[in-house]
Amino acid sequence: MSLPGRKRSPVLFRRTDDNPILTAAQWPYPANSVFNAGATRLQDGTTLLLCRVEDFRGLSHLTAARSRDGVSAWQIDHHPTLAPHPDHPEEEWGVEDPRITWLPDEGRYAVLYTAYSHNGPGVALALTDDFVTFERRGIIFPPEDKDAALFPRRFGDHWAAIHRPVTSTSANMNLSFSANLYHFGNTRTILEARQGAWWDANKVGLSAPPIETEEGWLVIYHGVKRTGSGVLYRNGLALFDLNHPERLIRRSDPWCFGPRDLAERVGDVDNVVFPCGTTLQDDGDTLHVYYGQADTSIGLATASIRQLLDWLRENSTMQAAPPLEALPADD
């Protein structure tokens, strides 16, 4: 029964009937939970998910799963694909929540992930061309920082990465630049958490890597609301300038994707939908959105880029554009 005068929001993220598409029960070795997967389409069209796998100690590693259609018949690596390495003490307590970006100029994939140790969570970078061997570059954003991904192309001579540092007073989305994919700087805040009762009050972070569209960089981001029964993770949309990614164009006022189904409501962490990766299908409009369900399993939803942009246009206030700053000359 609808409340009088209440308009139902359109369904922008359409869940597959087969959810969850990946669970620990399918894993070729013992695992407590499988969730928060980075995603990409390989050169042959295969979908690869780099899944966060939590073991029975409570520590996480990353394991690749591959599918021809990105929906079913997953071929899962029989051993961890990217596990904590003893030469990297920043990974002592696990590696988590990867985001994957194909870098055409490098001919490799960049994987930004959370490296967790006694110092807290920081952002680490690894490069690979086959998801078998990885060139680890270590911490690029020190603790406490997470929810990071690279843009797929340079701005001027610099790469750019979105990340989310946490301080004693804020947890906002930041943008930093690098000339060499080792050292990042010239950092600025690009999207702030709102205050009060908003769905994205107090803490926001990047969900999946930025998606290039004709209107700008489309970003799915999450907001974390604290309630009387715990945290609630939901997702909204933002749009950033194509050539000046520090410039916010639009930000949705309502959320557009939140916990609904039982697998999203009940799990190791209740009431969480957490996309870490999307893949663009051959029609150039359909997205496969891969998301963690209650920190327990992996779900799949589809969305239309055109519909997302239309919805964002109708459900946001145009941002007042700040003066454009010159990109950094060097790090």
Side-chain angles (χ1 to χ4, degrees), residues 64-79:
R66 298 168 175 84
S67 167
R68 291 300 303 173
D69 63 4
V71 178
S72 60
W74 294 94
Q75 301 296 312
I76 303 167
D77 284 359
H78 285 267
H79 304 281

Side-chain angles (χ1 to χ4, degrees), residues 10 21 33 46 52 70 75 80 86 88 109 128 163 180 217 219 228 238 248 270 275 279 289 292 294 304:
I21 60 167
S33 53
T46 298
R52 176 178 171 182
Q75 301 296 312
H88 290 267
Y109 301 90
T128 184
H163 56 111
N180 56 18
W217 293 100
V219 167
L248 177 63
D270 295 346
T279 59
V289 182
S304 158

Side-chain angles (χ1 to χ4, degrees), residues 14 20 34 121 173 186 264 312:
R14 293 168 291 279
V34 177
M173 288 169 57
N186 205 281
E264 302 159 5
L312 179 57

Side-chain angles (χ1 to χ4, degrees), residues 7-310:
K7 183 178 180 181
R8 180 176 292 276
S9 298
V11 177
L12 298 177
F13 293 82
R14 293 168 291 279
R15 295 161 171 85
T16 177
D17 292 337
D18 296 326
N19 275 348
I21 60 167
L22 284 169
T23 71
Q26 297 162 260
W27 235 243
Y29 56 86
N32 170 63
S33 53
V34 177
F35 57 112
N36 296 5
T40 192
R41 289 187 79 184
L42 304 176
Q43 303 304 303
D44 66 357
T46 298
T47 294
L48 179 140
L49 300 186
L50 195 57
C51 308
R52 176 178 171 182
V53 181
E54 185 181 277
D55 64 24
F56 286 100
R57 301 172 301 167
L59 307 184
S60 293
H61 58 267
L62 308 179
T63 297
R66 298 168 175 84
S67 167
R68 291 300 303 173
D69 63 4
V71 178
S72 60
W74 294 94
Q75 301 296 312
I76 303 167
D77 284 359
H78 285 267
H79 304 281
T81 307
L82 184 66
H85 196 284
D87 291 342
H88 290 267
E90 69 274 9
E91 300 176 355
E92 177 186 9
W93 291 351
V95 294
E96 307 173 352
D97 300 355
R99 276 83 168 180
I100 303 170
T101 303
W102 168 249
L103 305 180
D105 289 353
E106 296 284 317
R108 291 190 286 179
Y109 301 90
V111 182
L112 270 60
Y113 58 94
T114 300
Y116 193 28
S117 73
H118 66 279
N119 290 318
V123 176
L125 167 64
L127 297 169
T128 184
D129 58 12
D130 58 7
F131 290 94
V132 176
T133 60
F134 295 83
E135 177 192 337
R136 277 175 161 93
R137 298 210 168 170
I139 288 285
I140 59 173
F141 300 118
E144 184 174 336
D145 208 328
K146 55 170 55 178
D147 298 333
L150 277 169
F151 286 81
R153 61 175 173 84
R154 291 183 176 93
F155 300 93
D157 294 328
H158 288 73
W159 300 102
I162 295 176
H163 56 111
R164 200 280 308 285
V166 175
T167 71
S168 60
T169 59
S170 67
N172 303 319
M173 288 169 57
N174 281 9
L175 184 74
S176 297
F177 294 93
S178 174
N180 56 18
L181 293 179
Y182 281 102
H183 308 293
F184 286 77
N186 205 281
T187 301
R188 69 284 309 274
T189 298
I190 60 170
L191 194 142
E192 294 185 350
R194 285 183 263 227
Q195 301 299 314
W198 286 84
W199 68 272
D200 55 356
N202 304 314
K203 181 183 285 189
V204 293
L206 179 71
S207 292
I211 301 162
E212 188 168 7
T213 76
E214 292 182 356
E215 296 185 26
W217 293 100
L218 179 63
V219 167
I220 305 169
Y221 77 95
H222 62 265
V224 185
K225 183 171 183 175
R226 295 196 174 275
T227 74
S229 60
V231 294
L232 179 57
Y233 278 76
R234 293 176 288 205
N235 293 265
L237 302 176
L239 191 70
F240 295 88
D241 187 273
L242 275 179
N243 297 313
H244 297 274
E246 70 275 21
R247 182 184 179 190
L248 177 63
I249 300 173
R250 296 188 184 94
R251 174 188 189 171
S252 65
D253 288 331
W255 72 85
C256 56
F257 185 49
R260 187 198 70 182
D261 294 348
L262 183 62
E264 302 159 5
R265 290 289 188 183
V266 179
D268 281 358
V269 181
D270 295 346
N271 296 316
V272 175
V273 290
F274 199 87
C276 279
T278 65
T279 59
L280 182 63
Q281 303 309 295
D282 292 340
D283 63 5
D285 180 64
T286 301
L287 289 176
H288 280 183
V289 182
Y290 298 94
Y291 64 98
Q293 299 178 302
D295 279 18
T296 302
S297 55
I298 295 174
L300 169 63
T302 60
S304 158
I305 291 176
R306 176 182 51 79
Q307 290 178 358
L308 294 179
L309 290 170
D310 289 345

